[in-house]
Amino acid sequence: MHPRRYLWAPPLVLLFALAVRVAYAAHKGLVLDEFHSYFHATREGLDSFFQTLRLDNHPPLSFLLIGGSARILGEGELALRLPAILASLLELALVVRLARPLGRGRASLALALVGFSTLHLDMGTQARMYALLSLSVTGLTLALIEHLEGLGGRRRWMVLWALVGFHSHYYTIHYSVVLGLGIGGLALARPDLRPRIRALVPPGLAALALSLPWALWGLRVQLQSGLPPGGDDLGLTALVEGLGHLFYLNAGFAGRARGAMLAGALCVLALALLGVLRGARRDPLRTYLLALTAFGLPVAAMLGALAWGRAGFTWHYILPSCAPMAVLAAGGVTPGAGGGITRAAAAYAVVTLLWLSGLHLASRGSEDFPGAVGRILELAQEGDAIVSVEFQPPFFPQGQPWDYYAPRESPAPPPRLAMVEHEFDVADPAELREARRVILLVSKLPATVGVRRRLEASRRLVLEENFGYGRWVMVYE
């Protein structure tokens, strides 16, 4: 293979990934979880920020970065999502380094698989913490590998990545425990590595000590709140779906071609398993640690969530497994004349990922709040009452999607009814009775709860339009 053959590939993939992420972030609407980030990030004063955050399930770093971006660049979608975009791109740069021993061609393939992954695209363009979580775990994995391979100066990076991860999302604990147990097993199997493994103790203790302030002041209170996790997809089927979603999120965007996307997911998983088998002979240390992060963590996390529901499991929690999975899949491609089938599988995966990424760009995302608000503005007439209600933890204010998008969609939007925040109900029921029609923007609110219960008992539902996952515009007469 000519050494200069793939010189162009990494910068081209990175440039394409940047362009797609910026375009998608500027085009799709904020999802409900992003409004949760927006709420935390725009608190007035640090005291209010931290006191409210302790009611939630998440640590503070991502919200502080989103808030900083909003204060500098404004509160548009792109500004709120900028920290995630930057974290996503920085992780792609680390993927090149993580896959470098495979050679330039297969390293470019690994980069393309991550860069075109629609889960990586979606989470890398959300004002949430998942891109930062993924970056930190990929950085930690890379630093561990390079340290155990004898490269110096990596232990300080381990401390940094561990701190960034823990203060971004608590699934960093899951990844750290799995990697720690795996390295403990490595110490038993590889006596020659024990001096380097012992050298990991000081940075590990340093990361633990520096994490204690938030753990004791914030995490301890959050664990006592009883707030359920954001993800509760449990069982073997959910585990397999989660692994497939690492690259092919929202395969339903392809419509009848959804099966082609599922076939692509199988190609990536099959190549990754083949990469584990081949890498175990060629580069056992690196392959072992990559397999722990790619496969070991999702399995361990699912078992942990089955044992303790509060731990939670869903596909965006295991986003950090995308990069090592891609590197293993690239390693499963056989170079030379004998690798035609594996190269065809890799090419099929890249093409279908590009196709699905294009379908994402053509959509308004999985939750089209701008479209829903625009539709309500079309429907609203004099005498109508407008209600925006979201089924969510009660400390989040109701009506954020309407309050954010209505002024952007109309110079003089009609007001929505005031809500009793903790009851998913309107503050003044008389306003419902007096209204000619009631138009609802609903996010997952069951028909037996709050304002919907009132309307179901007293009015007739005459219009119901879907605007994404659990998001509806409803008209009651």
Side-chain angles (χ1 to χ4, degrees):
M1 186 180 295
H2 196 282
R4 296 184 179 276
R5 183 177 176 183
Y6 293 99
L7 278 175
W8 54 270
L12 187 62
V13 173
L14 287 171
L15 184 62
F16 178 84
L18 171 62
V20 170
R21 280 157 176 74
V22 171
Y24 194 43
H27 175 63
K28 67 174 179 174
L30 297 175
V31 302
L32 186 60
D33 281 358
E34 290 181 280
F35 283 111
H36 295 170
S37 296
Y38 177 72
F39 169 73
H40 287 307
T42 55
R43 292 294 83 206
E44 290 294 335
L46 287 177
D47 181 65
S48 174
F49 170 80
F50 282 111
Q51 291 299 335
T52 306
L53 186 59
R54 292 207 297 174
L55 301 174
D56 202 350
N57 268 336
H58 300 292
L61 182 58
S62 66
F63 305 126
L64 291 171
L65 294 176
I66 294 167
S69 180
R71 286 175 179 82
I72 295 171
L73 300 173
E75 297 183 0
E77 292 105 324
L78 192 57
L80 297 174
R81 290 163 169 165
L82 183 60
I85 294 172
L86 295 177
S88 172
L89 293 173
L90 184 52
E91 185 186 10
L92 290 178
L94 294 182
V95 169
V96 177
R97 189 161 162 177
L98 196 61
R100 189 160 50 191
L102 298 174
R104 197 181 301 275
R106 287 187 290 179
S108 299
L109 171 61
L111 177 63
L113 290 175
V114 182
F116 305 156
S117 155
T118 53
L119 178 65
H120 204 272
L121 168 64
D122 197 30
M123 296 298 109
T125 53
Q126 277 197 21
R128 294 294 280 166
M129 66 291 297
Y130 303 109
L132 204 56
L133 164 69
S134 193
L135 166 65
S136 62
V137 173
T138 298
L140 178 61
T141 304
L142 176 62
L144 281 170
I145 289 172
E146 292 185 341
H147 168 76
L148 293 174
E149 288 178 340
L151 299 177
R154 300 304 187 268
R155 291 184 295 167
R156 287 170 293 180
W157 281 103
M158 294 176 210
V159 177
L160 173 65
W161 292 126
L163 289 175
V164 170
F166 174 73
H167 290 88
S168 299
H169 195 281
Y170 297 128
Y171 244 62
T172 303
I173 300 173
H174 293 62
Y175 280 96
S176 299
V177 168
V178 168
L179 285 169
L181 292 174
I183 290 172
L186 199 60
L188 297 176
R190 292 281 301 272
D192 59 307
L193 290 176
R194 287 175 188 170
R196 293 175 188 167
I197 292 174
R198 283 195 295 269
L200 295 174
V201 174
L205 292 175
L208 182 61
L210 292 171
S211 299
L212 278 177
W214 175 255
L216 295 175
W217 191 82
L219 174 58
R220 180 180 58 83
V221 174
Q222 290 176 336
L223 288 174
Q224 294 170 354
S225 71
L227 190 67
D232 56 359
D233 307 290
L234 303 179
L236 179 61
T237 301
L239 175 61
V240 174
E241 286 179 349
L243 293 175
H245 285 319
L246 284 177
F247 296 91
Y248 289 85
L249 181 68
N250 296 325
F253 283 4
R256 294 182 179 179
R258 182 173 181 267
M261 304 303 162
L262 298 180
L266 290 176
C267 284
V268 176
L269 292 175
L271 286 172
L273 291 171
L274 190 58
V276 172
L277 296 176
R278 290 178 175 168
R281 298 189 299 270
R282 183 182 62 244
D283 193 348
L285 174 60
R286 182 175 288 252
T287 301
Y288 172 67
L289 291 173
L290 289 174
L292 279 176
T293 313
F295 290 105
L297 180 280
V299 173
M302 175 59 74
L303 293 175
L306 288 171
W308 184 47
R310 186 73 187 277
F313 183 93
T314 191
W315 45 83
H316 42 272
Y317 289 4
I318 60 169
L319 174 64
S321 295
C322 179
M325 185 87 71
V327 175
L328 290 171
V333 175
T334 305
I341 294 177
T342 58
R343 290 201 301 275
Y348 180 84
V350 170
V351 169
T352 50
L353 285 174
L354 280 170
W355 180 9
L356 191 55
S357 294
L359 293 174
H360 276 70
L361 283 179
S363 76
R364 292 300 296 265
S366 58
E367 300 175 24
D368 185 13
F369 280 117
V373 170
R375 179 62 171 143
I376 291 175
L377 291 172
E378 291 176 1
L379 292 170
Q381 300 175 10
E382 187 176 352
D384 291 344
I386 296 172
V387 177
S388 179
V389 57
E390 300 82 44
F391 199 52
Q392 60 187 353
F395 58 87
F396 290 118
Q398 293 291 329
Q400 283 193 99
W402 176 267
D403 293 345
Y404 185 88
Y405 279 114
R408 289 167 167 79
E409 298 288 331
S410 169
R416 63 176 177 87
L417 299 189
M419 304 292 292
V420 179
E421 302 293 348
H422 296 264
E423 299 177 12
F424 311 105
D425 203 354
V426 294
D428 185 0
E431 292 182 300
L432 289 183
R433 293 192 297 269
E434 295 167 1
R436 187 177 68 89
R437 298 184 306 174
V438 180
I439 306 177
L440 260 66
L441 173 53
V442 175
S443 296
K444 288 188 173 181
L445 185 70
T448 57
V449 174
V451 65
R452 280 201 67 192
R453 176 178 55 80
R454 288 183 183 276
L455 293 172
E456 292 287 337
S458 61
R459 288 179 177 255
R460 180 169 56 96
L461 179 64
V462 296
L463 180 68
E464 186 175 24
E465 294 183 12
N466 180 252
F467 288 85
Y469 181 60
R471 317 308 172 206
W472 297 87
V473 170
M474 299 176 171
V475 179
Y476 286 88
E477 284 185 351

